[in-house]
Amino acid sequence: MLIVSILFLSVIALGIITSILFLIMLRKSTARLPEGWRRSASMRNFKLSILFLVIFLVLAFFNEFITSYLSRSNTPNGYVLSIFFTTATFLIFGFLFINTQARWRQIGYIILYSILIGYLINGGYYHPLSSHTTTASLLLNSIFFLAALLHLTDLLIHPKTDHFKFKLKICLIILVFGLMADILTSFHWSDMTSDHVINFPFLFMLQLGNMFLFYFSFACVFTSEIIKLRRGHVR
């Protein structure tokens, strides 16, 4: 598990580095634009949404580090995951909220986030000795999926919005992760509640692979955007 933790920390760190570089290059690139465009609400909101993603990846790095340490020490880490889900979801939803035009969809993010907080409080998941159940994972992943689905419909209705392709890529990363996480968790749940035993180690590896691809996709998207900005600068 130590190797897995190091692998996750490395890929998350790569996402942090590329996201920060992209934000820096974006600021330098927009500095050459006319003042009206540079100070537009669209550009300010886009930069703020990128900052949300940067902070999310930083929190993910520390969460992986802390939970890995607690696991090796045989210490319950459910409350750490609950705190991470609370802050991480706020940041992810912040990105979606800022880049969503329909007011009712923005209200939808608020409702979904309220459901998340209410579930964690009602289930006692903020207690130091708490541990997350399979049903908790299903709910949390479903909330991510539904929020990304709301954002996707908004993007498809407004395909001419600024930075459309970037927003679409981030939305699809969250959407696919939430969907795959729910499917894999459902198989795990079915394995525990029925006599039909599925190869658990294989499912566990698939779940780890889904998490790895989730964080690695952020690094890939930011690297792609850095290359685009770099080419535009050279030209």
Side-chain angles (χ1 to χ4, degrees):
M1 290 301 294
L2 179 59
I3 297 176
V4 174
S5 296
I6 293 175
L7 186 62
F8 269 100
L9 288 173
S10 299
V11 74
I12 296 172
L14 181 61
I16 294 172
I17 293 171
T18 53
S19 62
I20 292 175
L21 286 176
F22 172 62
L23 188 58
I24 292 173
M25 291 188 66
L26 182 64
R27 291 181 183 276
K28 290 182 178 179
S29 177
T30 54
R32 300 191 300 270
L33 297 174
E35 184 176 355
W37 172 249
R38 188 172 65 249
R39 296 181 178 274
S40 65
S42 174
M43 183 56 66
R44 290 199 308 271
N45 289 339
F46 182 65
K47 290 179 180 178
L48 179 59
S49 67
I50 300 300
L51 182 60
F52 279 159
L53 294 181
V54 173
I55 299 174
F56 161 72
L57 291 171
V58 172
L59 289 178
F61 181 89
F62 284 108
N63 174 71
E64 178 62 30
F65 180 82
I66 295 172
T67 53
S68 176
Y69 173 79
L70 292 176
S71 296
R72 292 197 301 271
S73 304
N74 294 320
T75 304
N77 57 16
Y79 71 99
V80 177
L81 290 173
S82 297
I83 294 172
F84 171 68
F85 272 119
T86 302
T87 54
T89 305
F90 177 82
L91 293 167
I92 291 292
F93 280 21
F95 173 88
L96 301 177
F97 186 94
I98 290 175
N99 293 308
T100 297
Q101 297 190 35
R103 179 63 62 182
W104 71 269
R105 291 187 179 89
Q106 292 179 329
I107 295 174
Y109 301 142
I110 297 174
I111 294 173
L112 288 173
Y113 187 70
S114 300
I115 292 173
L116 168 72
I117 301 301
Y119 179 81
L120 292 175
I121 293 175
N122 185 64
Y125 290 109
Y126 289 110
H127 191 277
L129 298 180
S130 66
S131 59
H132 284 232
T133 62
T134 305
T135 53
S137 299
L138 280 171
L139 176 69
L140 297 173
N141 293 325
S142 296
I143 284 177
F144 271 94
F145 173 78
L146 291 174
L149 188 62
L150 276 177
H151 186 54
L152 178 62
T153 58
D154 191 81
L155 285 174
L156 295 179
I157 293 174
H158 306 96
K160 294 185 178 180
T161 56
D162 296 332
H163 311 286
F164 171 80
K165 291 183 178 179
F166 176 84
K167 297 173 184 176
L168 180 62
K169 290 175 184 177
I170 298 297
C171 178
L172 289 177
I173 288 173
I174 303 170
L175 185 74
V176 172
F177 165 76
L179 177 61
M180 291 304 299
D182 267 345
I183 292 174
L184 294 172
T185 304
S186 297
F187 277 122
H188 181 198
W189 192 12
S190 174
D191 185 27
M192 294 188 301
T193 57
S194 68
D195 295 330
H196 178 63
V197 179
I198 305 173
N199 189 339
F200 175 73
F202 179 66
L203 277 177
F204 182 67
M205 292 302 296
L206 288 178
Q207 289 174 325
L208 289 178
N210 187 41
M211 286 290 297
F212 178 86
L213 288 175
F214 175 67
Y215 290 118
F216 185 67
S217 297
F218 281 101
C220 290
V221 170
F222 284 120
T223 301
S224 174
E225 295 300 317
I226 289 172
I227 293 173
K228 289 179 183 179
L229 286 177
R230 183 63 180 173
R231 286 176 178 173
H233 177 70
V234 172
R235 291 175 184 175

